[in-house]
mmCIF file of all heavy atoms in Angstrom:
data_model
loop_
_atom_site.group_PDB
_atom_site.id
_atom_site.type_symbol
_atom_site.label_atom_id
_atom_site.label_comp_id
_atom_site.label_asym_id
_atom_site.label_seq_id
_atom_site.Cartn_x
_atom_site.Cartn_y
_atom_site.Cartn_z
ATOM 1 N N THR A 1 4.267 4.254 2.107
ATOM 2 C CA THR A 1 4.532 3.373 0.978
ATOM 3 C C THR A 1 5.975 2.897 0.952
ATOM 4 O O THR A 1 6.273 1.820 0.438
ATOM 5 C CB THR A 1 4.213 4.065 -0.346
ATOM 6 O OG1 THR A 1 5.068 5.188 -0.557
ATOM 7 C CG2 THR A 1 2.763 4.539 -0.357
ATOM 8 N N LYS A 2 6.875 3.694 1.522
ATOM 9 C CA LYS A 2 8.290 3.334 1.584
ATOM 10 C C LYS A 2 8.720 2.826 2.945
ATOM 11 O O LYS A 2 9.876 2.422 3.116
ATOM 12 C CB LYS A 2 9.153 4.528 1.188
ATOM 13 C CG LYS A 2 8.934 5.021 -0.231
ATOM 14 C CD LYS A 2 9.837 6.202 -0.546
ATOM 15 C CE LYS A 2 9.642 6.688 -1.964
ATOM 16 N NZ LYS A 2 10.502 7.860 -2.267
ATOM 17 N N ASN A 3 7.825 2.889 3.920
ATOM 18 C CA ASN A 3 8.138 2.488 5.290
ATOM 19 C C ASN A 3 9.316 3.283 5.847
ATOM 20 O O ASN A 3 10.240 2.740 6.441
ATOM 21 C CB ASN A 3 8.422 0.993 5.384
ATOM 22 C CG ASN A 3 7.180 0.146 5.216
ATOM 23 O OD1 ASN A 3 6.072 0.649 5.046
ATOM 24 N ND2 ASN A 3 7.355 -1.176 5.240
ATOM 25 N N THR A 4 9.258 4.585 5.639
ATOM 26 C CA THR A 4 10.292 5.461 6.151
ATOM 27 C C THR A 4 9.685 6.634 6.902
ATOM 28 O O THR A 4 8.585 7.091 6.599
ATOM 29 C CB THR A 4 11.190 6.018 5.035
ATOM 30 O OG1 THR A 4 10.407 6.737 4.088
ATOM 31 C CG2 THR A 4 11.936 4.903 4.344
ATOM 32 N N VAL A 5 10.417 7.121 7.886
ATOM 33 C CA VAL A 5 10.066 8.330 8.623
ATOM 34 C C VAL A 5 11.288 9.231 8.637
ATOM 35 O O VAL A 5 12.381 8.784 8.981
ATOM 36 C CB VAL A 5 9.597 8.016 10.057
ATOM 37 C CG1 VAL A 5 9.437 9.309 10.851
ATOM 38 C CG2 VAL A 5 8.292 7.243 10.036
ATOM 39 N N ASP A 6 11.090 10.478 8.264
ATOM 40 C CA ASP A 6 12.177 11.440 8.225
ATOM 41 C C ASP A 6 12.019 12.468 9.333
ATOM 42 O O ASP A 6 10.907 12.783 9.762
ATOM 43 C CB ASP A 6 12.219 12.167 6.886
ATOM 44 C CG ASP A 6 12.707 11.301 5.742
ATOM 45 O OD1 ASP A 6 13.079 10.139 5.991
ATOM 46 O OD2 ASP A 6 12.712 11.782 4.596
ATOM 47 N N LEU A 7 13.144 12.984 9.781
ATOM 48 C CA LEU A 7 13.163 14.110 10.706
ATOM 49 C C LEU A 7 14.022 15.193 10.078
ATOM 50 O O LEU A 7 15.244 15.053 10.007
ATOM 51 C CB LEU A 7 13.719 13.702 12.073
ATOM 52 C CG LEU A 7 13.727 14.802 13.131
ATOM 53 C CD1 LEU A 7 12.299 15.167 13.541
ATOM 54 C CD2 LEU A 7 14.546 14.376 14.347
ATOM 55 N N ARG A 8 13.368 16.236 9.602
ATOM 56 C CA ARG A 8 14.085 17.379 9.034
ATOM 57 C C ARG A 8 14.412 18.354 10.156
ATOM 58 O O ARG A 8 13.529 18.768 10.903
ATOM 59 C CB ARG A 8 13.246 18.067 7.960
ATOM 60 C CG ARG A 8 13.989 19.157 7.223
ATOM 61 C CD ARG A 8 13.153 19.772 6.117
ATOM 62 N NE ARG A 8 12.067 20.568 6.650
ATOM 63 C CZ ARG A 8 10.792 20.245 6.578
ATOM 64 N NH1 ARG A 8 10.425 19.109 5.983
ATOM 65 N NH2 ARG A 8 9.860 21.041 7.071
ATOM 66 N N MET A 9 15.664 18.699 10.265
ATOM 67 C CA MET A 9 16.144 19.552 11.335
ATOM 68 C C MET A 9 16.781 20.801 10.728
ATOM 69 O O MET A 9 17.761 20.710 10.002
ATOM 70 C CB MET A 9 17.162 18.817 12.205
ATOM 71 C CG MET A 9 16.630 17.497 12.784
ATOM 72 S SD MET A 9 17.817 16.677 13.889
ATOM 73 C CE MET A 9 19.111 16.269 12.720
ATOM 74 N N ASP A 10 16.183 21.935 11.035
ATOM 75 C CA ASP A 10 16.673 23.218 10.551
ATOM 76 C C ASP A 10 17.122 24.065 11.739
ATOM 77 O O ASP A 10 16.741 23.812 12.884
ATOM 78 C CB ASP A 10 15.594 23.968 9.771
ATOM 79 C CG ASP A 10 15.171 23.266 8.504
ATOM 80 O OD1 ASP A 10 16.032 22.644 7.852
ATOM 81 O OD2 ASP A 10 13.985 23.357 8.155
ATOM 82 N N SER A 11 17.889 25.095 11.453
ATOM 83 C CA SER A 11 18.358 26.032 12.482
ATOM 84 C C SER A 11 18.958 25.297 13.665
ATOM 85 O O SER A 11 18.647 25.575 14.831
ATOM 86 C CB SER A 11 17.203 26.942 12.943
ATOM 87 O OG SER A 11 16.670 27.666 11.857
ATOM 88 N N LEU A 12 19.828 24.368 13.369
ATOM 89 C CA LEU A 12 20.400 23.528 14.420
ATOM 90 C C LEU A 12 21.264 24.339 15.381
ATOM 91 O O LEU A 12 21.926 25.311 14.990
ATOM 92 C CB LEU A 12 21.219 22.411 13.804
ATOM 93 C CG LEU A 12 20.375 21.262 13.235
ATOM 94 C CD1 LEU A 12 21.208 20.398 12.284
ATOM 95 C CD2 LEU A 12 19.827 20.405 14.371
ATOM 96 N N LYS A 13 21.214 23.916 16.628
ATOM 97 C CA LYS A 13 21.947 24.555 17.706
ATOM 98 C C LYS A 13 22.922 23.563 18.331
ATOM 99 O O LYS A 13 22.686 22.355 18.268
ATOM 100 C CB LYS A 13 20.980 25.066 18.793
ATOM 101 C CG LYS A 13 19.905 26.001 18.281
ATOM 102 C CD LYS A 13 18.911 26.337 19.383
ATOM 103 C CE LYS A 13 17.829 27.263 18.902
ATOM 104 N NZ LYS A 13 16.855 27.584 19.977
ATOM 105 N N PRO A 14 23.996 24.043 18.945
ATOM 106 C CA PRO A 14 24.926 23.112 19.596
ATOM 107 C C PRO A 14 24.240 22.206 20.610
ATOM 108 O O PRO A 14 24.649 21.048 20.750
ATOM 109 C CB PRO A 14 25.936 24.046 20.268
ATOM 110 C CG PRO A 14 25.955 25.254 19.400
ATOM 111 C CD PRO A 14 24.518 25.419 18.948
ATOM 112 N N GLU A 15 23.219 22.675 21.279
ATOM 113 C CA GLU A 15 22.536 21.838 22.252
ATOM 114 C C GLU A 15 21.710 20.726 21.624
ATOM 115 O O GLU A 15 21.178 19.872 22.332
ATOM 116 C CB GLU A 15 21.638 22.691 23.173
ATOM 117 C CG GLU A 15 20.684 23.604 22.438
ATOM 118 C CD GLU A 15 21.216 25.027 22.312
ATOM 119 O OE1 GLU A 15 22.408 25.198 21.988
ATOM 120 O OE2 GLU A 15 20.434 25.973 22.535
ATOM 121 N N ASP A 16 21.588 20.710 20.300
ATOM 122 C CA ASP A 16 20.963 19.599 19.601
ATOM 123 C C ASP A 16 21.917 18.427 19.423
ATOM 124 O O ASP A 16 21.490 17.359 18.971
ATOM 125 C CB ASP A 16 20.447 20.040 18.229
ATOM 126 C CG ASP A 16 19.329 21.070 18.321
ATOM 127 O OD1 ASP A 16 18.442 20.924 19.184
ATOM 128 O OD2 ASP A 16 19.332 22.003 17.501
ATOM 129 N N THR A 17 23.177 18.606 19.743
ATOM 130 C CA THR A 17 24.155 17.539 19.585
ATOM 131 C C THR A 17 23.794 16.340 20.452
ATOM 132 O O THR A 17 23.593 16.456 21.663
ATOM 133 C CB THR A 17 25.547 18.050 19.961
ATOM 134 O OG1 THR A 17 25.960 19.058 19.036
ATOM 135 C CG2 THR A 17 26.566 16.915 19.926
ATOM 136 N N ALA A 18 23.692 15.182 19.828
ATOM 137 C CA ALA A 18 23.295 13.969 20.538
ATOM 138 C C ALA A 18 23.320 12.806 19.555
ATOM 139 O O ALA A 18 23.460 13.001 18.344
ATOM 140 C CB ALA A 18 21.890 14.107 21.128
ATOM 141 N N ILE A 19 23.187 11.607 20.087
ATOM 142 C CA ILE A 19 22.865 10.466 19.261
ATOM 143 C C ILE A 19 21.353 10.426 19.108
ATOM 144 O O ILE A 19 20.624 10.466 20.105
ATOM 145 C CB ILE A 19 23.368 9.151 19.875
ATOM 146 C CG1 ILE A 19 24.890 9.197 20.043
ATOM 147 C CG2 ILE A 19 22.988 7.974 18.994
ATOM 148 C CD1 ILE A 19 25.457 7.989 20.758
ATOM 149 N N TYR A 20 20.897 10.357 17.884
ATOM 150 C CA TYR A 20 19.474 10.337 17.592
ATOM 151 C C TYR A 20 19.041 8.924 17.234
ATOM 152 O O TYR A 20 19.688 8.257 16.412
ATOM 153 C CB TYR A 20 19.148 11.293 16.447
ATOM 154 C CG TYR A 20 19.115 12.736 16.874
ATOM 155 C CD1 TYR A 20 20.304 13.396 17.191
ATOM 156 C CD2 TYR A 20 17.923 13.436 16.975
ATOM 157 C CE1 TYR A 20 20.288 14.721 17.594
ATOM 158 C CE2 TYR A 20 17.904 14.761 17.373
ATOM 159 C CZ TYR A 20 19.088 15.394 17.694
ATOM 160 O OH TYR A 20 19.065 16.710 18.093
ATOM 161 N N TYR A 21 17.967 8.486 17.841
ATOM 162 C CA TYR A 21 17.424 7.153 17.636
ATOM 163 C C TYR A 21 16.001 7.245 17.099
ATOM 164 O O TYR A 21 15.236 8.104 17.526
ATOM 165 C CB TYR A 21 17.376 6.366 18.945
ATOM 166 C CG TYR A 21 18.694 6.178 19.644
ATOM 167 C CD1 TYR A 21 19.177 7.127 20.519
ATOM 168 C CD2 TYR A 21 19.448 5.023 19.432
ATOM 169 C CE1 TYR A 21 20.372 6.953 21.182
ATOM 170 C CE2 TYR A 21 20.643 4.833 20.084
ATOM 171 C CZ TYR A 21 21.105 5.806 20.964
ATOM 172 O OH TYR A 21 22.299 5.613 21.614
ATOM 173 N N CYS A 22 15.659 6.361 16.212
ATOM 174 C CA CYS A 22 14.247 6.175 15.933
ATOM 175 C C CYS A 22 13.768 4.935 16.671
ATOM 176 O O CYS A 22 14.528 4.008 16.949
ATOM 177 C CB CYS A 22 13.947 6.081 14.432
ATOM 178 S SG CYS A 22 14.632 4.655 13.550
ATOM 179 N N ALA A 23 12.511 4.951 17.021
ATOM 180 C CA ALA A 23 11.913 3.865 17.782
ATOM 181 C C ALA A 23 10.473 3.678 17.347
ATOM 182 O O ALA A 23 9.884 4.562 16.731
ATOM 183 C CB ALA A 23 11.982 4.160 19.284
ATOM 184 N N ALA A 24 9.934 2.532 17.665
ATOM 185 C CA ALA A 24 8.600 2.198 17.191
ATOM 186 C C ALA A 24 7.707 1.672 18.304
ATOM 187 O O ALA A 24 8.143 0.924 19.189
ATOM 188 C CB ALA A 24 8.664 1.153 16.083
ATOM 189 N N ILE A 25 6.464 2.126 18.276
ATOM 190 C CA ILE A 25 5.358 1.424 18.923
ATOM 191 C C ILE A 25 4.706 0.618 17.822
ATOM 192 O O ILE A 25 4.194 1.179 16.866
ATOM 193 C CB ILE A 25 4.351 2.403 19.551
ATOM 194 C CG1 ILE A 25 5.016 3.259 20.616
ATOM 195 C CG2 ILE A 25 3.156 1.645 20.120
ATOM 196 C CD1 ILE A 25 4.116 4.371 21.139
ATOM 197 N N ILE A 26 4.752 -0.693 17.939
ATOM 198 C CA ILE A 26 4.322 -1.537 16.845
ATOM 199 C C ILE A 26 2.875 -1.994 16.980
ATOM 200 O O ILE A 26 2.346 -2.659 16.083
ATOM 201 C CB ILE A 26 5.234 -2.766 16.680
ATOM 202 C CG1 ILE A 26 5.205 -3.638 17.934
ATOM 203 C CG2 ILE A 26 6.662 -2.306 16.388
ATOM 204 C CD1 ILE A 26 5.978 -4.929 17.781
ATOM 205 N N ILE A 27 2.211 -1.636 18.067
ATOM 206 C CA ILE A 27 0.818 -1.964 18.254
ATOM 207 C C ILE A 27 -0.037 -0.802 17.771
ATOM 208 O O ILE A 27 0.184 0.350 18.157
ATOM 209 C CB ILE A 27 0.516 -2.279 19.732
ATOM 210 C CG1 ILE A 27 1.360 -3.441 20.214
ATOM 211 C CG2 ILE A 27 -0.973 -2.585 19.926
ATOM 212 C CD1 ILE A 27 1.219 -3.718 21.695
ATOM 213 N N GLY A 28 -1.006 -1.102 16.952
ATOM 214 C CA GLY A 28 -1.856 -0.059 16.417
ATOM 215 C C GLY A 28 -2.768 0.538 17.464
ATOM 216 O O GLY A 28 -3.026 -0.036 18.523
ATOM 217 N N GLY A 29 -3.251 1.747 17.161
ATOM 218 C CA GLY A 29 -4.163 2.437 18.058
ATOM 219 C C GLY A 29 -3.515 3.168 19.196
ATOM 220 O O GLY A 29 -4.209 3.566 20.141
ATOM 221 N N ARG A 30 -2.207 3.364 19.153
ATOM 222 C CA ARG A 30 -1.479 4.058 20.194
ATOM 223 C C ARG A 30 -1.069 5.455 19.718
ATOM 224 O O ARG A 30 -0.496 5.597 18.644
ATOM 225 C CB ARG A 30 -0.243 3.294 20.628
ATOM 226 C CG ARG A 30 -0.506 1.886 21.152
ATOM 227 C CD ARG A 30 -1.265 1.931 22.460
ATOM 228 N NE ARG A 30 -1.208 0.643 23.156
ATOM 229 C CZ ARG A 30 -2.061 -0.360 22.944
ATOM 230 N NH1 ARG A 30 -3.052 -0.230 22.066
ATOM 231 N NH2 ARG A 30 -1.929 -1.490 23.632
ATOM 232 N N GLN A 31 -1.363 6.471 20.537
ATOM 233 C CA GLN A 31 -0.868 7.804 20.208
ATOM 234 C C GLN A 31 0.636 7.849 20.383
ATOM 235 O O GLN A 31 1.209 7.154 21.214
ATOM 236 C CB GLN A 31 -1.561 8.862 21.078
ATOM 237 C CG GLN A 31 -1.383 8.681 22.566
ATOM 238 C CD GLN A 31 -2.181 9.698 23.347
ATOM 239 O OE1 GLN A 31 -1.730 10.819 23.543
ATOM 240 N NE2 GLN A 31 -3.375 9.305 23.769
ATOM 241 N N CYS A 32 1.285 8.692 19.586
ATOM 242 C CA CYS A 32 2.736 8.575 19.480
ATOM 243 C C CYS A 32 3.497 9.194 20.634
ATOM 244 O O CYS A 32 4.680 8.930 20.786
ATOM 245 C CB CYS A 32 3.225 9.160 18.150
ATOM 246 S SG CYS A 32 3.356 10.957 18.083
ATOM 247 N N ASN A 33 2.851 10.024 21.464
ATOM 248 C CA ASN A 33 3.556 10.664 22.562
ATOM 249 C C ASN A 33 3.497 9.861 23.869
ATOM 250 O O ASN A 33 3.803 10.403 24.932
ATOM 251 C CB ASN A 33 3.048 12.084 22.791
ATOM 252 C CG ASN A 33 1.599 12.137 23.217
ATOM 253 O OD1 ASN A 33 0.861 11.167 23.057
ATOM 254 N ND2 ASN A 33 1.180 13.272 23.745
ATOM 255 N N ARG A 34 3.185 8.596 23.778
ATOM 256 C CA ARG A 34 3.275 7.715 24.937
ATOM 257 C C ARG A 34 4.697 7.164 24.958
ATOM 258 O O ARG A 34 4.980 6.032 24.555
ATOM 259 C CB ARG A 34 2.218 6.622 24.830
ATOM 260 C CG ARG A 34 0.797 7.187 24.849
ATOM 261 C CD ARG A 34 -0.267 6.154 24.565
ATOM 262 N NE ARG A 34 -0.361 5.137 25.587
ATOM 263 C CZ ARG A 34 -1.360 4.266 25.674
ATOM 264 N NH1 ARG A 34 -2.352 4.300 24.791
ATOM 265 N NH2 ARG A 34 -1.363 3.358 26.631
ATOM 266 N N TRP A 35 5.611 7.994 25.445
ATOM 267 C CA TRP A 35 7.033 7.759 25.260
ATOM 268 C C TRP A 35 7.535 6.469 25.883
ATOM 269 O O TRP A 35 8.501 5.870 25.384
ATOM 270 C CB TRP A 35 7.832 8.950 25.807
ATOM 271 C CG TRP A 35 7.426 10.257 25.223
ATOM 272 C CD1 TRP A 35 6.741 11.255 25.830
ATOM 273 C CD2 TRP A 35 7.675 10.706 23.880
ATOM 274 N NE1 TRP A 35 6.562 12.313 24.964
ATOM 275 C CE2 TRP A 35 7.105 12.008 23.767
ATOM 276 C CE3 TRP A 35 8.318 10.153 22.768
ATOM 277 C CZ2 TRP A 35 7.169 12.743 22.581
ATOM 278 C CZ3 TRP A 35 8.377 10.883 21.603
ATOM 279 C CH2 TRP A 35 7.791 12.159 21.508
ATOM 280 N N LEU A 36 6.921 6.068 26.968
ATOM 281 C CA LEU A 36 7.380 4.870 27.661
ATOM 282 C C LEU A 36 6.992 3.580 26.959
ATOM 283 O O LEU A 36 7.438 2.509 27.366
ATOM 284 C CB LEU A 36 6.862 4.861 29.100
ATOM 285 C CG LEU A 36 7.316 6.013 29.995
ATOM 286 C CD1 LEU A 36 6.710 5.871 31.385
ATOM 287 C CD2 LEU A 36 8.830 6.060 30.074
ATOM 288 N N GLU A 37 6.186 3.668 25.933
ATOM 289 C CA GLU A 37 5.701 2.475 25.254
ATOM 290 C C GLU A 37 6.527 2.102 24.023
ATOM 291 O O GLU A 37 6.188 1.136 23.347
ATOM 292 C CB GLU A 37 4.225 2.636 24.881
ATOM 293 C CG GLU A 37 3.313 2.763 26.097
ATOM 294 C CD GLU A 37 1.840 2.690 25.750
ATOM 295 O OE1 GLU A 37 1.506 2.337 24.609
ATOM 296 O OE2 GLU A 37 1.013 2.997 26.628
ATOM 297 N N TYR A 38 7.576 2.829 23.745
ATOM 298 C CA TYR A 38 8.452 2.473 22.639
ATOM 299 C C TYR A 38 9.340 1.315 23.054
ATOM 300 O O TYR A 38 10.048 1.403 24.072
ATOM 301 C CB TYR A 38 9.297 3.671 22.205
ATOM 302 C CG TYR A 38 8.489 4.694 21.452
ATOM 303 C CD1 TYR A 38 7.791 5.692 22.106
ATOM 304 C CD2 TYR A 38 8.441 4.658 20.055
ATOM 305 C CE1 TYR A 38 7.037 6.617 21.404
ATOM 306 C CE2 TYR A 38 7.699 5.585 19.347
ATOM 307 C CZ TYR A 38 6.994 6.560 20.024
ATOM 308 O OH TYR A 38 6.255 7.487 19.320
ATOM 309 N N THR A 39 9.314 0.258 22.287
ATOM 310 C CA THR A 39 10.030 -0.956 22.648
ATOM 311 C C THR A 39 11.024 -1.417 21.595
ATOM 312 O O THR A 39 11.889 -2.247 21.894
ATOM 313 C CB THR A 39 9.047 -2.106 22.926
ATOM 314 O OG1 THR A 39 8.222 -2.326 21.777
ATOM 315 C CG2 THR A 39 8.169 -1.778 24.125
ATOM 316 N N SER A 40 10.934 -0.941 20.379
ATOM 317 C CA SER A 40 11.832 -1.315 19.303
ATOM 318 C C SER A 40 12.682 -0.117 18.906
ATOM 319 O O SER A 40 12.136 0.966 18.673
ATOM 320 C CB SER A 40 11.058 -1.845 18.098
ATOM 321 O OG SER A 40 10.293 -2.984 18.430
ATOM 322 N N TRP A 41 13.983 -0.337 18.816
ATOM 323 C CA TRP A 41 14.921 0.779 18.649
ATOM 324 C C TRP A 41 15.927 0.518 17.558
ATOM 325 O O TRP A 41 16.368 -0.606 17.331
ATOM 326 C CB TRP A 41 15.697 1.023 19.961
ATOM 327 C CG TRP A 41 14.827 1.415 21.101
ATOM 328 C CD1 TRP A 41 14.112 0.590 21.931
ATOM 329 C CD2 TRP A 41 14.560 2.747 21.545
ATOM 330 N NE1 TRP A 41 13.420 1.324 22.852
ATOM 331 C CE2 TRP A 41 13.677 2.658 22.633
ATOM 332 C CE3 TRP A 41 14.979 3.995 21.119
ATOM 333 C CZ2 TRP A 41 13.214 3.776 23.316
ATOM 334 C CZ3 TRP A 41 14.520 5.112 21.784
ATOM 335 C CH2 TRP A 41 13.646 4.991 22.869
#
């Protein structure tokens, strides 16, 4: 309803340090772990 996606991160570790990006597969009917199909960033 708000068009938002959150990522809650607990128990963070130094190795989690990075730039974090959200990305979208904008075509319906696609499972989300098809990592190479993300085109919008």
